[in-house]
Amino acid sequence: MSVSDLDPVPAVALLARPGAARERLREALAHADVQIVLEDDPITLEPQALHDARPQFVVIALEAAIEDALERLEPALSAPGLTLVFDEAELAARRDGWEAQRWGRHLAAKLHGHQQVLPPGAEDEPALQLEPGRPSTPPVPKEAALQPHLEQARSWADDVPADGLYSPPAHLLHEPIALEQALAALQPVLPETATLADAAPAPPPVPAAPPTAFTDHTAWSLVDEASDAPADPRVAATVAAPEPAFDTEHLSLVDLDAAAPAGSRAGALLVLAGIGGPDALRRLLAALPSGLAVPVLVHMRLDGGRYGNLVKQMARVSPLPVQLAEAGQRATAGEVHVLADDIGVHAAADGLYFQTEAQGISIAALSAEHSALVLLSGADLAHVGPALDLAAAGAWVAGQVGEGCYDPAAATAVVAAGMAAGEPQELAQVIAARWGLDDDGDAA
């Protein structure tokens, strides 16, 4: 069996319009040791041609001009066993030098199914990041290995010098006893003295009252006959007053939603992502149920700022409605809201509202008790601290792990702190179990 049989070369199709982005992606694939089975413009490509090429991966340079073409190629792109890798065409065209090499290593790791993203020569460096899980249990020594040492210690026991300052009594040399008993034996025995309780005379017994026969009903009484005090006239007036009639004409239903605490309506599922985020976000949203009790907020930094394209991409796979968040709009439960870099949230009495924020989303603005936070590939390290603070206040926080996590720094940090971990599909299953709705619209 050859090495190529053990590690087959992945078959990749490159879909991009002619230009600088296509050239950069071709160079990255050439250094990734893959087989390019198809390279074409998605606008002119036919779905059957893509199917006949039989690729394992499809690398797509996203731009507004190919959106209609991707919808036309949807049947071929949805084939089972086919993995899609998206990249912004404008960003790919500008990528150069160290940044291009770094992205190429992450792309090669994705296509070959490993996590080696370090530069050549750094493969043997030890991992400095903490890893979750219990430490390995030290091996238990075998009794047979200890037996020679025990026998040697027993043979040397008589030669060990004793303490010359203490000589135990003769009656204590034959049978070992507890230390407390030995110390008590050294104390002088005092004569017994009578206690005060023993000297005090016992009180005479109190004669028991003769029992009243159960059948003697003449001794029964409900009122204290010896009490001749007159009854309070105010009490008598109160008893004699007629009970008020129950007015049924002014009954009304209580607004349960208004009576609920504001925090329960300010809850949300916040998803943070970055490099490699579109693929992880696509897998997470595709695995969510068609109904959730909380809104889903997605914040993923895009260099080109094309959040409208991200909304269209995720709307194709998400069972939940996907829309772009706008300032002044209310976050709706069971919908996905994509946040731009300058959109934040604030909690009101009836839920979360979007507002313009120069710094973007603030994790501290969420209600910890009713919110969840998921850090996917490429999440900003600056979000780790606020995420752990939200978890300490009662929120559910999780991080992505697995081969598809290109930039795992932030996700690994929260996992190392004891938060939940899993692939995007596994995290979606936990979210569905906690915040999903059944067929009647009730929380799971």
Side-chain angles (χ1 to χ4, degrees):
M1 182 179 293
S2 63
V3 177
S4 60
D5 295 333
L6 296 175
D7 187 14
V9 178
V12 181
L14 173 60
L15 303 185
R17 298 180 65 196
R22 185 166 168 177
E23 298 293 334
R24 295 289 187 274
L25 291 175
R26 186 190 304 114
E27 294 175 1
L29 292 175
H31 290 87
D33 191 20
V34 299
Q35 179 185 3
I36 302 178
V37 296
L38 177 65
E39 179 180 345
D40 205 341
D41 187 346
I43 298 178
T44 60
L45 178 64
E46 294 297 331
Q48 187 61 37
L50 178 59
H51 176 75
D52 295 341
R54 299 185 181 279
Q56 299 171 276
F57 298 87
V58 179
V59 180
I60 303 175
L62 290 174
E63 53 183 324
I66 68 169
E67 291 181 1
D68 297 336
L70 292 181
E71 293 182 1
R72 182 173 52 85
L73 296 173
E74 181 68 21
L77 295 176
S78 302
L82 187 61
T83 302
L84 306 181
V85 180
F86 296 96
D87 190 18
E88 290 284 342
E90 182 180 354
L91 180 60
R94 298 199 311 262
R95 195 180 292 123
D96 195 8
W98 177 88
E99 184 180 3
Q101 296 176 8
R102 178 176 179 270
W103 188 88
R105 292 194 299 270
H106 283 277
L107 178 61
K110 172 69 175 179
L111 299 178
H112 287 276
H114 60 74
Q115 298 183 355
Q116 179 55 259
V117 295
L118 297 176
E123 292 83 357
D124 297 333
E125 293 184 359
L128 299 180
Q129 295 181 347
L130 297 178
E131 296 182 358
R134 295 182 177 180
S136 59
T137 305
V140 179
K142 297 182 179 180
E143 189 68 21
L146 293 178
Q147 192 62 32
H149 301 283
L150 295 176
E151 295 177 355
Q152 185 181 32
R154 189 179 298 109
S155 63
W156 289 354
D158 297 335
D159 299 334
V160 176
D163 189 357
L165 299 180
Y166 169 72
S167 297
H171 66 280
L172 297 180
L173 295 177
H174 304 287
E175 184 178 357
I177 61 175
L179 177 62
E180 292 80 1
Q181 298 177 1
L183 294 178
L186 298 178
Q187 299 296 327
V189 180
L190 299 178
E192 297 182 358
T193 58
T195 61
L196 181 60
D198 298 334
V206 179
T212 303
F214 181 74
T215 55
D216 186 8
H217 60 274
T218 59
W220 297 0
S221 174
L222 297 178
V223 181
D224 188 3
E225 297 176 355
S227 177
D228 297 333
D232 192 344
R234 292 174 297 178
V235 177
T238 303
V239 175
E243 297 183 359
F246 188 73
D247 187 7
T248 60
E249 297 181 358
H250 298 84
L251 295 178
S252 61
L253 297 177
V254 177
D255 187 358
L256 296 180
D257 185 67
S264 63
R265 298 186 299 278
L269 167 62
L270 176 59
V271 182
L272 303 174
I275 297 178
D279 181 59
L281 180 61
R282 174 176 173 270
R283 294 157 58 192
L284 176 72
L285 296 182
L288 289 178
S290 58
L292 282 180
V294 293
V296 181
L297 313 181
V298 175
H299 177 62
M300 182 172 62
R301 291 192 178 275
L302 299 177
D303 293 343
R306 299 180 180 272
Y307 292 99
N309 293 344
L310 181 63
V311 170
K312 294 179 180 179
Q313 297 171 27
M314 298 306 153
R316 296 190 183 101
V317 299
S318 173
L320 301 174
V322 184
Q323 58 180 314
L324 188 63
E326 298 180 358
Q329 178 187 9
R330 178 185 175 185
T332 305
E335 296 186 4
V336 180
H337 303 273
V338 177
L339 309 181
D341 293 340
D342 59 347
I343 294 295
V345 295
H346 72 279
D350 56 345
L352 283 176
Y353 283 84
F354 302 113
Q355 63 182 6
T356 303
E357 289 285 350
Q359 303 299 328
I361 183 68
S362 174
I363 297 177
L366 300 177
S367 171
E369 184 180 357
H370 305 280
S371 296
L373 181 61
V374 177
L375 282 78
L376 298 179
S377 174
D380 195 344
L381 274 173
H383 290 145
V384 173
L388 296 180
D389 293 340
L390 198 71
W396 182 79
V397 178
Q400 177 190 357
V401 296
E403 299 177 356
C405 194
Y406 296 142
D407 187 3
T412 304
V414 297
V415 172
M419 302 297 104
E423 294 277 0
Q425 301 94 320
E426 298 172 346
L427 299 180
Q429 294 176 1
V430 179
I431 294 169
R434 293 173 63 105
W435 292 278
L437 301 177
D438 55 19
D439 297 336
D440 297 331
D442 298 328

